[in-house]
Amino acid sequence: MSATDPKPSRPDESVSLLSPSDEGYMRLALREALCAFDQGEVPVGAVVVHQGRVIGRGYNLREKLADPTAHAEMLALTAAAQALEDWRLEECTLYVTLEPCPMCAGAIVNSRVKRVVFGALDPKAGACGSLFNLVQDSRLNHRVELTSGVLAADASDLLKEFFRSRRKAQSENAK
């Protein structure tokens, strides 16, 4: 992605799920994030994987739905619970492009997600190690395995491009 591109290119569409990997699933989450970008939403995407199969997907829809809880993780967790017909997601891995916030971290703990893999750190609101670490807090009834930094540069670049384009549009509208 270059600074002159109007928006980032789509991640590689040829991700093979036959040999699942954290990077492969994170690329799927990045595709979800691009859907958010295309709709003017903060580009965060998430997928939930159970036994090698994606059972939940989501991307930020707070603006479109006028819902403060419509974060990518929340939507993906809800879809996964519906797919399993169970609120317990004990054998699931959540892949998300940005470190989950406290609300999403609480939902992750409450849904008993086994593992979270995220891309970019969120030093202002991250609740999986940056600002807090709710998902591994020993005072809570469940702790989550964490892997961070998977395709972090791609996730971070997408967020930076989104906010750069928003600032540019605001400055052009102010003229």
Side-chain angles (χ1 to χ4, degrees), residues 32-109:
E32 294 297 313
L34 280 166
C35 292
F37 188 103
D38 290 343
Q39 293 185 36
E41 299 274 356
V42 175
V44 178
V47 296
V48 178
V49 176
H50 179 258
Q51 298 178 347
R53 204 174 106 243
V54 175
I55 61 166
R57 298 172 182 269
Y59 55 87
N60 277 357
L61 285 172
R62 289 189 320 169
E63 300 299 328
K64 183 175 183 177
L65 299 178
D67 180 352
T69 69
H71 287 203
E73 302 96 318
M74 300 293 278
L75 299 171
L77 291 172
T78 297
Q82 290 172 348
L84 292 179
E85 298 180 343
D86 193 351
W87 62 267
R88 292 173 196 85
L89 303 177
E90 296 166 324
E91 294 303 316
C92 294
T93 299
L94 170 69
Y95 292 86
V96 59
T97 59
L98 181 65
E99 180 181 1
C101 72
M103 175 184 66
C104 294
I108 289 164
V109 169

Side-chain angles (χ1 to χ4, degrees), residues 1-36:
M1 168 173 39
S2 74
T4 59
D5 290 341
K7 70 178 195 179
S9 61
R10 298 212 177 267
D12 182 9
E13 301 277 337
S14 64
V15 174
S16 169
L17 297 182
L18 297 176
S19 57
S21 71
D22 288 346
E23 282 191 12
Y25 289 121
M26 187 61 73
R27 288 192 190 287
L28 295 177
L30 282 165
R31 286 182 13 202
E32 294 297 313
L34 280 166
C35 292

